Amino acid sequence: MTGLPRRQAGLTALYLGVFAAVWFSVPKADPPLRSLLVVGSVVALVAAAIGAVLVVRAGRPAAGGRDRSADRRYGLVVVAEVVVGLVGALILAAAGLTGYIPVLVCAVVGIHFVPLAPVLRDRLLVPLGVAVMLVALAGLVVDLVSGVSAGLVVGTGTGALLLAYAVLALFRTRGLDQQAVGAEAERQVA
């Protein structure tokens, strides 16, 4: 598993923790699942808060540390994601298929992780994206063949995946910090 710089790991945990909490709020569920979704939301917000602390403690990146080209690519990917999701949601709503809007948004979110992986230099975003796309497909299939709503499947599944990745990001920075401490200790001994 590759480590992440502390600031990037914090931002990852912050963003994905918040979005995990949002996804956990999508499904309308009966107890006890409703209670589990609330617990998932709370844990996701705790991960986001820890991520925010990491970002603040890491400080601002060095003056020359920003890659404006990567920032532009990031912005383009996010804008494309929002436009595709919004247009698709409007089309589904106009067709009276509002129950499938979460499936569409989930698929778009999954797809957007793939081009973001090289921009953010985090190759583990690709398997996350594939897993989220599979959740979208599972939500669609389950909705079509059973009485379980697509929103329940994609809200629960995507929330769980994003929460897991947010927590993983926090652990990935810890390993990197230990490596940096070890490297610094070796330099002092030499």
Side-chain angles (χ1 to χ4, degrees):
M1 173 171 29
T2 59
L4 293 174
R6 178 175 282 193
R7 181 174 177 78
Q8 182 179 346
L11 286 170
T12 299
L14 172 62
Y15 292 154
L16 295 187
V18 168
F19 284 113
V22 170
W23 277 102
F24 283 135
S25 71
V26 167
K28 292 182 172 106
D30 295 324
L33 181 57
R34 181 178 9 189
S35 299
L36 290 174
L37 293 172
V38 169
V39 168
S41 292
V42 169
V43 172
L45 292 174
V46 168
I50 293 169
V53 169
L54 278 178
V55 170
V56 169
R57 293 187 76 194
R60 291 182 168 264
R66 295 218 36 140
D67 181 354
R68 296 205 186 279
S69 173
D71 289 349
R72 264 192 308 279
R73 289 187 309 237
Y74 178 86
L76 289 172
V77 169
V78 171
V79 166
E81 171 194 22
V82 170
V83 168
V84 169
L86 183 60
V87 169
L90 290 172
I91 291 169
L92 287 173
L97 300 170
T98 57
Y100 295 109
I101 291 174
V103 172
L104 170 75
V105 172
C106 181
V108 170
V109 166
I111 290 167
H112 107 286
F113 283 123
V114 176
L116 282 182
V119 171
L120 297 174
R121 294 183 192 107
D122 186 358
R123 62 188 169 139
L124 294 180
L125 287 174
V126 173
L128 174 64
V130 170
V132 172
M133 287 184 270
L134 290 173
V135 167
L137 179 62
L140 178 63
V141 170
V142 167
D143 185 90
L144 292 173
V145 300
S146 74
V148 177
S149 75
L152 180 62
V153 174
V154 299
T156 304
T158 304
L161 286 171
L162 296 182
L163 172 58
Y165 201 86
V167 171
L168 177 66
L170 295 172
F171 281 106
R172 287 171 70 193
T173 191
R174 181 170 177 245
L176 183 65
D177 288 346
Q178 288 174 348
Q179 290 170 356
V181 168
E184 180 62 31
E186 286 178 19
R187 270 189 254 132
Q188 288 178 356
V189 170

